[in-house]
Amino acid sequence: MSMMRPRKRTCPSLRSPVRPAFGLLARSAFAASMLAAAAGLSACSGDSTLTLPVPPHPDVPEVAHDSYPTIGATPHTGRPALNEAQRARLQGDLERASKTNSAKAQAAAQASTPAAEPQPATN
């Protein structure tokens, strides 16, 4: 039985048909970007100074510094805060609900586990 040798790996040729097309595309993209850069710089080469764009409505009234809206903090529009008696009542209700839920969960866990066989007493 003859042993098959793996094919010798070679580097792809630099003159593959794909390379020139990519090079042409890269060159044309580079040329287009250079043209855009030249056009941008030629706009700055005039004798006049650069002017900022004029707003469409230059007669906008001045706004007071404290009349801007706050960002992130919205005004409170919900229920009023609880007073001490209401807070204590709510706290008690929550604690009672927690205890009953815990007791129900423990009872369900004990009911779902099989009864363990009694171990013989050793003295």
mmCIF file of all heavy atoms in Angstrom, residues 40-83:
data_model
loop_
_atom_site.group_PDB
_atom_site.id
_atom_site.type_symbol
_atom_site.label_atom_id
_atom_site.label_comp_id
_atom_site.label_asym_id
_atom_site.label_seq_id
_atom_site.Cartn_x
_atom_site.Cartn_y
_atom_site.Cartn_z
ATOM 1 N N GLY A 40 -12.196 70.282 -0.991
ATOM 2 C CA GLY A 40 -12.427 70.875 0.323
ATOM 3 C C GLY A 40 -11.397 71.929 0.657
ATOM 4 O O GLY A 40 -11.720 72.986 1.212
ATOM 5 N N LEU A 41 -10.148 71.666 0.338
ATOM 6 C CA LEU A 41 -9.095 72.645 0.619
ATOM 7 C C LEU A 41 -9.189 73.859 -0.303
ATOM 8 O O LEU A 41 -8.854 74.977 0.088
ATOM 9 C CB LEU A 41 -7.718 71.996 0.486
ATOM 10 C CG LEU A 41 -7.334 71.049 1.612
ATOM 11 C CD1 LEU A 41 -6.009 70.373 1.295
ATOM 12 C CD2 LEU A 41 -7.268 71.780 2.928
ATOM 13 N N SER A 42 -9.647 73.650 -1.532
ATOM 14 C CA SER A 42 -9.748 74.791 -2.441
ATOM 15 C C SER A 42 -10.842 75.755 -2.008
ATOM 16 O O SER A 42 -10.777 76.945 -2.299
ATOM 17 C CB SER A 42 -10.001 74.304 -3.864
ATOM 18 O OG SER A 42 -11.299 73.732 -3.959
ATOM 19 N N ALA A 43 -11.844 75.260 -1.282
ATOM 20 C CA ALA A 43 -12.889 76.144 -0.781
ATOM 21 C C ALA A 43 -12.330 77.074 0.293
ATOM 22 O O ALA A 43 -12.829 78.182 0.489
ATOM 23 C CB ALA A 43 -14.044 75.327 -0.220
ATOM 24 N N CYS A 44 -11.309 76.634 0.982
ATOM 25 C CA CYS A 44 -10.709 77.448 2.045
ATOM 26 C C CYS A 44 -9.659 78.420 1.524
ATOM 27 O O CYS A 44 -9.133 79.224 2.292
ATOM 28 C CB CYS A 44 -10.053 76.542 3.090
ATOM 29 S SG CYS A 44 -11.218 75.476 3.932
ATOM 30 N N SER A 45 -9.305 78.349 0.268
ATOM 31 C CA SER A 45 -8.189 79.149 -0.218
ATOM 32 C C SER A 45 -8.604 80.518 -0.744
ATOM 33 O O SER A 45 -7.788 81.221 -1.318
ATOM 34 C CB SER A 45 -7.462 78.392 -1.326
ATOM 35 O OG SER A 45 -8.331 78.260 -2.440
ATOM 36 N N GLY A 46 -9.842 80.923 -0.541
ATOM 37 C CA GLY A 46 -10.292 82.220 -1.033
ATOM 38 C C GLY A 46 -9.718 83.365 -0.222
ATOM 39 O O GLY A 46 -9.089 83.191 0.816
ATOM 40 N N ASP A 47 -9.939 84.610 -0.706
ATOM 41 C CA ASP A 47 -9.430 85.794 -0.018
ATOM 42 C C ASP A 47 -10.277 86.154 1.201
ATOM 43 O O ASP A 47 -9.793 86.766 2.144
ATOM 44 C CB ASP A 47 -9.411 86.986 -0.981
ATOM 45 C CG ASP A 47 -8.361 86.798 -2.065
ATOM 46 O OD1 ASP A 47 -7.405 86.042 -1.818
ATOM 47 O OD2 ASP A 47 -8.508 87.396 -3.150
ATOM 48 N N SER A 48 -11.544 85.794 1.192
ATOM 49 C CA SER A 48 -12.416 86.159 2.310
ATOM 50 C C SER A 48 -12.265 85.149 3.442
ATOM 51 O O SER A 48 -11.833 84.019 3.248
ATOM 52 C CB SER A 48 -13.873 86.210 1.850
ATOM 53 O OG SER A 48 -14.296 84.910 1.485
ATOM 54 N N THR A 49 -12.649 85.587 4.638
ATOM 55 C CA THR A 49 -12.589 84.687 5.784
ATOM 56 C C THR A 49 -13.788 83.753 5.755
ATOM 57 O O THR A 49 -14.805 84.026 5.113
ATOM 58 C CB THR A 49 -12.617 85.490 7.095
ATOM 59 O OG1 THR A 49 -13.820 86.238 7.141
ATOM 60 C CG2 THR A 49 -11.426 86.419 7.187
ATOM 61 N N LEU A 50 -13.656 82.674 6.454
ATOM 62 C CA LEU A 50 -14.766 81.727 6.517
ATOM 63 C C LEU A 50 -15.891 82.312 7.358
ATOM 64 O O LEU A 50 -15.646 82.917 8.411
ATOM 65 C CB LEU A 50 -14.299 80.408 7.136
ATOM 66 C CG LEU A 50 -13.333 79.584 6.314
ATOM 67 C CD1 LEU A 50 -12.907 78.363 7.106
ATOM 68 C CD2 LEU A 50 -13.980 79.152 5.012
ATOM 69 N N THR A 51 -17.100 82.139 6.910
ATOM 70 C CA THR A 51 -18.255 82.631 7.665
ATOM 71 C C THR A 51 -19.081 81.445 8.112
ATOM 72 O O THR A 51 -19.188 80.430 7.421
ATOM 73 C CB THR A 51 -19.126 83.545 6.794
ATOM 74 O OG1 THR A 51 -19.562 82.810 5.659
ATOM 75 C CG2 THR A 51 -18.354 84.778 6.364
ATOM 76 N N LEU A 52 -19.652 81.587 9.277
ATOM 77 C CA LEU A 52 -20.526 80.548 9.796
ATOM 78 C C LEU A 52 -21.888 80.671 9.134
ATOM 79 O O LEU A 52 -22.298 81.766 8.735
ATOM 80 C CB LEU A 52 -20.653 80.685 11.309
ATOM 81 C CG LEU A 52 -19.357 80.465 12.084
ATOM 82 C CD1 LEU A 52 -19.584 80.745 13.558
ATOM 83 C CD2 LEU A 52 -18.856 79.050 11.898
ATOM 84 N N PRO A 53 -22.623 79.581 9.021
ATOM 85 C CA PRO A 53 -23.939 79.663 8.404
ATOM 86 C C PRO A 53 -24.889 80.522 9.246
ATOM 87 O O PRO A 53 -24.844 80.508 10.475
ATOM 88 C CB PRO A 53 -24.409 78.215 8.338
ATOM 89 C CG PRO A 53 -23.520 77.450 9.233
ATOM 90 C CD PRO A 53 -22.267 78.230 9.398
ATOM 91 N N VAL A 54 -25.710 81.270 8.587
ATOM 92 C CA VAL A 54 -26.665 82.155 9.254
ATOM 93 C C VAL A 54 -27.923 81.354 9.568
ATOM 94 O O VAL A 54 -28.422 80.622 8.714
ATOM 95 C CB VAL A 54 -27.005 83.354 8.339
ATOM 96 C CG1 VAL A 54 -28.009 84.271 8.998
ATOM 97 C CG2 VAL A 54 -25.747 84.105 7.985
ATOM 98 N N PRO A 55 -28.457 81.472 10.797
ATOM 99 C CA PRO A 55 -29.678 80.731 11.113
ATOM 100 C C PRO A 55 -30.845 81.258 10.276
ATOM 101 O O PRO A 55 -30.853 82.420 9.865
ATOM 102 C CB PRO A 55 -29.892 80.992 12.599
ATOM 103 C CG PRO A 55 -29.108 82.201 12.907
ATOM 104 C CD PRO A 55 -27.974 82.240 11.932
ATOM 105 N N PRO A 56 -31.846 80.419 10.010
ATOM 106 C CA PRO A 56 -32.953 80.853 9.167
ATOM 107 C C PRO A 56 -33.803 81.948 9.805
ATOM 108 O O PRO A 56 -34.406 82.744 9.122
ATOM 109 C CB PRO A 56 -33.764 79.582 8.948
ATOM 110 C CG PRO A 56 -33.378 78.676 10.049
ATOM 111 C CD PRO A 56 -31.975 79.044 10.421
ATOM 112 N N HIS A 57 -33.862 82.004 11.130
ATOM 113 C CA HIS A 57 -34.636 83.029 11.835
ATOM 114 C C HIS A 57 -33.722 83.755 12.816
ATOM 115 O O HIS A 57 -33.615 83.378 13.985
ATOM 116 C CB HIS A 57 -35.812 82.404 12.590
ATOM 117 C CG HIS A 57 -36.717 81.599 11.717
ATOM 118 N ND1 HIS A 57 -37.564 82.172 10.800
ATOM 119 C CD2 HIS A 57 -36.902 80.266 11.601
ATOM 120 C CE1 HIS A 57 -38.230 81.226 10.170
ATOM 121 N NE2 HIS A 57 -37.846 80.051 10.634
ATOM 122 N N PRO A 58 -33.062 84.801 12.403
ATOM 123 C CA PRO A 58 -32.117 85.471 13.304
ATOM 124 C C PRO A 58 -32.796 86.262 14.422
ATOM 125 O O PRO A 58 -32.146 86.697 15.344
ATOM 126 C CB PRO A 58 -31.332 86.394 12.377
ATOM 127 C CG PRO A 58 -32.229 86.614 11.216
ATOM 128 C CD PRO A 58 -33.052 85.380 11.081
ATOM 129 N N ASP A 59 -34.115 86.455 14.356
ATOM 130 C CA ASP A 59 -34.801 87.247 15.375
ATOM 131 C C ASP A 59 -35.403 86.381 16.484
ATOM 132 O O ASP A 59 -36.443 86.703 17.049
ATOM 133 C CB ASP A 59 -35.903 88.100 14.718
ATOM 134 C CG ASP A 59 -36.878 87.247 13.925
ATOM 135 O OD1 ASP A 59 -36.533 86.107 13.593
ATOM 136 O OD2 ASP A 59 -37.987 87.730 13.648
ATOM 137 N N VAL A 60 -34.748 85.281 16.849
ATOM 138 C CA VAL A 60 -35.217 84.414 17.924
ATOM 139 C C VAL A 60 -34.978 85.127 19.242
ATOM 140 O O VAL A 60 -33.886 85.639 19.496
ATOM 141 C CB VAL A 60 -34.468 83.061 17.894
ATOM 142 C CG1 VAL A 60 -34.861 82.198 19.071
ATOM 143 C CG2 VAL A 60 -34.734 82.344 16.595
ATOM 144 N N PRO A 61 -35.999 85.183 20.119
ATOM 145 C CA PRO A 61 -35.830 85.900 21.389
ATOM 146 C C PRO A 61 -34.863 85.173 22.326
ATOM 147 O O PRO A 61 -34.711 83.967 22.258
ATOM 148 C CB PRO A 61 -37.234 85.930 21.975
ATOM 149 C CG PRO A 61 -37.937 84.772 21.353
ATOM 150 C CD PRO A 61 -37.343 84.617 19.985
ATOM 151 N N GLU A 62 -34.243 85.940 23.179
ATOM 152 C CA GLU A 62 -33.322 85.402 24.174
ATOM 153 C C GLU A 62 -34.127 84.641 25.227
ATOM 154 O O GLU A 62 -35.206 85.068 25.628
ATOM 155 C CB GLU A 62 -32.556 86.556 24.829
ATOM 156 C CG GLU A 62 -31.464 86.123 25.780
ATOM 157 C CD GLU A 62 -30.265 85.555 25.045
ATOM 158 O OE1 GLU A 62 -30.082 85.877 23.861
ATOM 159 O OE2 GLU A 62 -29.524 84.786 25.671
ATOM 160 N N VAL A 63 -33.583 83.510 25.689
ATOM 161 C CA VAL A 63 -34.269 82.679 26.683
ATOM 162 C C VAL A 63 -33.521 82.799 28.001
ATOM 163 O O VAL A 63 -32.291 82.781 28.029
ATOM 164 C CB VAL A 63 -34.304 81.208 26.210
ATOM 165 C CG1 VAL A 63 -34.976 80.329 27.246
ATOM 166 C CG2 VAL A 63 -35.020 81.096 24.882
ATOM 167 N N ALA A 64 -34.287 82.912 29.086
ATOM 168 C CA ALA A 64 -33.669 83.006 30.410
ATOM 169 C C ALA A 64 -32.944 81.706 30.729
ATOM 170 O O ALA A 64 -33.375 80.622 30.334
ATOM 171 C CB ALA A 64 -34.727 83.287 31.460
ATOM 172 N N HIS A 65 -31.843 81.809 31.467
ATOM 173 C CA HIS A 65 -31.021 80.631 31.738
ATOM 174 C C HIS A 65 -31.719 79.612 32.615
ATOM 175 O O HIS A 65 -31.389 78.442 32.603
ATOM 176 C CB HIS A 65 -29.689 81.044 32.367
ATOM 177 C CG HIS A 65 -29.822 81.539 33.763
ATOM 178 N ND1 HIS A 65 -30.257 82.804 34.059
ATOM 179 C CD2 HIS A 65 -29.585 80.924 34.944
ATOM 180 C CE1 HIS A 65 -30.286 82.946 35.366
ATOM 181 N NE2 HIS A 65 -29.895 81.838 35.929
ATOM 182 N N ASP A 66 -32.703 80.015 33.415
ATOM 183 C CA ASP A 66 -33.371 79.073 34.306
ATOM 184 C C ASP A 66 -34.652 78.489 33.707
ATOM 185 O O ASP A 66 -35.364 77.755 34.377
ATOM 186 C CB ASP A 66 -33.675 79.745 35.644
ATOM 187 C CG ASP A 66 -34.578 80.957 35.477
ATOM 188 O OD1 ASP A 66 -34.746 81.421 34.338
ATOM 189 O OD2 ASP A 66 -35.117 81.423 36.500
ATOM 190 N N SER A 67 -34.965 78.771 32.471
ATOM 191 C CA SER A 67 -36.203 78.266 31.881
ATOM 192 C C SER A 67 -35.996 77.008 31.041
ATOM 193 O O SER A 67 -36.927 76.524 30.426
ATOM 194 C CB SER A 67 -36.843 79.346 31.017
ATOM 195 O OG SER A 67 -36.029 79.627 29.906
ATOM 196 N N TYR A 68 -34.766 76.489 31.004
ATOM 197 C CA TYR A 68 -34.524 75.266 30.249
ATOM 198 C C TYR A 68 -35.066 74.062 31.008
ATOM 199 O O TYR A 68 -35.062 74.040 32.247
ATOM 200 C CB TYR A 68 -33.024 75.083 29.994
ATOM 201 C CG TYR A 68 -32.459 76.078 29.027
ATOM 202 C CD1 TYR A 68 -31.629 77.104 29.455
ATOM 203 C CD2 TYR A 68 -32.777 76.020 27.688
ATOM 204 C CE1 TYR A 68 -31.118 78.019 28.573
ATOM 205 C CE2 TYR A 68 -32.278 76.928 26.786
ATOM 206 C CZ TYR A 68 -31.445 77.930 27.236
ATOM 207 O OH TYR A 68 -30.949 78.837 26.356
ATOM 208 N N PRO A 69 -35.515 73.029 30.317
ATOM 209 C CA PRO A 69 -36.022 71.845 31.022
ATOM 210 C C PRO A 69 -34.875 71.059 31.639
ATOM 211 O O PRO A 69 -33.749 71.096 31.154
ATOM 212 C CB PRO A 69 -36.687 71.025 29.909
ATOM 213 C CG PRO A 69 -35.983 71.442 28.671
ATOM 214 C CD PRO A 69 -35.633 72.892 28.868
ATOM 215 N N THR A 70 -35.167 70.384 32.707
ATOM 216 C CA THR A 70 -34.153 69.537 33.329
ATOM 217 C C THR A 70 -34.125 68.208 32.595
ATOM 218 O O THR A 70 -35.152 67.709 32.147
ATOM 219 C CB THR A 70 -34.476 69.294 34.813
ATOM 220 O OG1 THR A 70 -35.778 68.705 34.886
ATOM 221 C CG2 THR A 70 -34.452 70.575 35.598
ATOM 222 N N ILE A 71 -32.959 67.644 32.474
ATOM 223 C CA ILE A 71 -32.806 66.376 31.775
ATOM 224 C C ILE A 71 -32.527 65.295 32.809
ATOM 225 O O ILE A 71 -31.612 65.414 33.608
ATOM 226 C CB ILE A 71 -31.658 66.449 30.756
ATOM 227 C CG1 ILE A 71 -32.006 67.489 29.705
ATOM 228 C CG2 ILE A 71 -31.411 65.095 30.123
ATOM 229 C CD1 ILE A 71 -30.907 67.765 28.737
ATOM 230 N N GLY A 72 -33.332 64.245 32.795
ATOM 231 C CA GLY A 72 -33.118 63.124 33.693
ATOM 232 C C GLY A 72 -33.986 63.164 34.931
ATOM 233 O O GLY A 72 -34.322 62.132 35.473
ATOM 234 N N ALA A 73 -34.371 64.299 35.405
ATOM 235 C CA ALA A 73 -35.227 64.386 36.581
ATOM 236 C C ALA A 73 -36.581 64.936 36.146
ATOM 237 O O ALA A 73 -36.694 66.075 35.726
ATOM 238 C CB ALA A 73 -34.608 65.295 37.629
ATOM 239 N N THR A 74 -37.584 64.092 36.226
ATOM 240 C CA THR A 74 -38.917 64.525 35.819
ATOM 241 C C THR A 74 -39.686 65.000 37.042
ATOM 242 O O THR A 74 -39.446 64.540 38.157
ATOM 243 C CB THR A 74 -39.690 63.375 35.153
ATOM 244 O OG1 THR A 74 -39.773 62.286 36.071
ATOM 245 C CG2 THR A 74 -38.989 62.922 33.887
ATOM 246 N N PRO A 75 -40.641 65.894 36.874
ATOM 247 C CA PRO A 75 -41.419 66.338 38.021
ATOM 248 C C PRO A 75 -42.285 65.201 38.558
ATOM 249 O O PRO A 75 -42.721 64.327 37.815
ATOM 250 C CB PRO A 75 -42.284 67.467 37.452
ATOM 251 C CG PRO A 75 -42.292 67.262 35.990
ATOM 252 C CD PRO A 75 -41.021 66.571 35.644
ATOM 253 N N HIS A 76 -42.507 65.201 39.861
ATOM 254 C CA HIS A 76 -43.284 64.148 40.517
ATOM 255 C C HIS A 76 -44.761 64.362 40.218
ATOM 256 O O HIS A 76 -45.321 65.399 40.562
ATOM 257 C CB HIS A 76 -43.035 64.174 42.030
ATOM 258 C CG HIS A 76 -43.763 63.101 42.762
ATOM 259 N ND1 HIS A 76 -43.422 61.777 42.635
ATOM 260 C CD2 HIS A 76 -44.815 63.143 43.618
ATOM 261 C CE1 HIS A 76 -44.234 61.051 43.386
ATOM 262 N NE2 HIS A 76 -45.082 61.861 43.992
ATOM 263 N N THR A 77 -45.385 63.384 39.569
ATOM 264 C CA THR A 77 -46.807 63.508 39.232
ATOM 265 C C THR A 77 -47.632 62.365 39.804
ATOM 266 O O THR A 77 -48.821 62.286 39.554
ATOM 267 C CB THR A 77 -46.997 63.516 37.696
ATOM 268 O OG1 THR A 77 -46.459 62.313 37.168
ATOM 269 C CG2 THR A 77 -46.316 64.718 37.068
ATOM 270 N N GLY A 78 -47.026 61.461 40.549
ATOM 271 C CA GLY A 78 -47.722 60.280 41.069
ATOM 272 C C GLY A 78 -48.402 60.547 42.395
ATOM 273 O O GLY A 78 -48.733 61.684 42.758
ATOM 274 N N ARG A 79 -48.604 59.471 43.145
ATOM 275 C CA ARG A 79 -49.248 59.571 44.455
ATOM 276 C C ARG A 79 -48.348 60.323 45.437
ATOM 277 O O ARG A 79 -47.123 60.285 45.294
ATOM 278 C CB ARG A 79 -49.514 58.183 45.016
ATOM 279 C CG ARG A 79 -50.517 57.400 44.222
ATOM 280 C CD ARG A 79 -50.815 56.104 44.907
ATOM 281 N NE ARG A 79 -49.701 55.182 44.630
ATOM 282 C CZ ARG A 79 -49.589 53.977 45.151
ATOM 283 N NH1 ARG A 79 -50.488 53.537 45.989
ATOM 284 N NH2 ARG A 79 -48.574 53.209 44.850
ATOM 285 N N PRO A 80 -48.944 60.934 46.425
ATOM 286 C CA PRO A 80 -48.115 61.591 47.446
ATOM 287 C C PRO A 80 -47.375 60.544 48.289
ATOM 288 O O PRO A 80 -47.788 59.385 48.346
ATOM 289 C CB PRO A 80 -49.121 62.384 48.293
ATOM 290 C CG PRO A 80 -50.432 61.717 48.063
ATOM 291 C CD PRO A 80 -50.377 61.146 46.684
ATOM 292 N N ALA A 81 -46.319 60.958 48.924
ATOM 293 C CA ALA A 81 -45.530 60.051 49.751
ATOM 294 C C ALA A 81 -46.347 59.581 50.943
ATOM 295 O O ALA A 81 -47.271 60.273 51.408
ATOM 296 C CB ALA A 81 -44.267 60.759 50.223
ATOM 297 N N LEU A 82 -46.023 58.384 51.456
ATOM 298 C CA LEU A 82 -46.738 57.832 52.605
ATOM 299 C C LEU A 82 -46.334 58.563 53.885
ATOM 300 O O LEU A 82 -45.175 58.920 54.073
ATOM 301 C CB LEU A 82 -46.411 56.349 52.758
ATOM 302 C CG LEU A 82 -46.793 55.421 51.606
ATOM 303 C CD1 LEU A 82 -46.311 54.005 51.902
ATOM 304 C CD2 LEU A 82 -48.282 55.427 51.376
ATOM 305 N N ASN A 83 -47.320 58.748 54.767
ATOM 306 C CA ASN A 83 -46.965 59.294 56.072
ATOM 307 C C ASN A 83 -46.513 58.146 56.969
ATOM 308 O O ASN A 83 -46.494 56.988 56.550
ATOM 309 C CB ASN A 83 -48.142 60.087 56.675
ATOM 310 C CG ASN A 83 -49.372 59.222 56.880
ATOM 311 O OD1 ASN A 83 -49.273 58.006 56.988
ATOM 312 N ND2 ASN A 83 -50.525 59.868 56.931
#
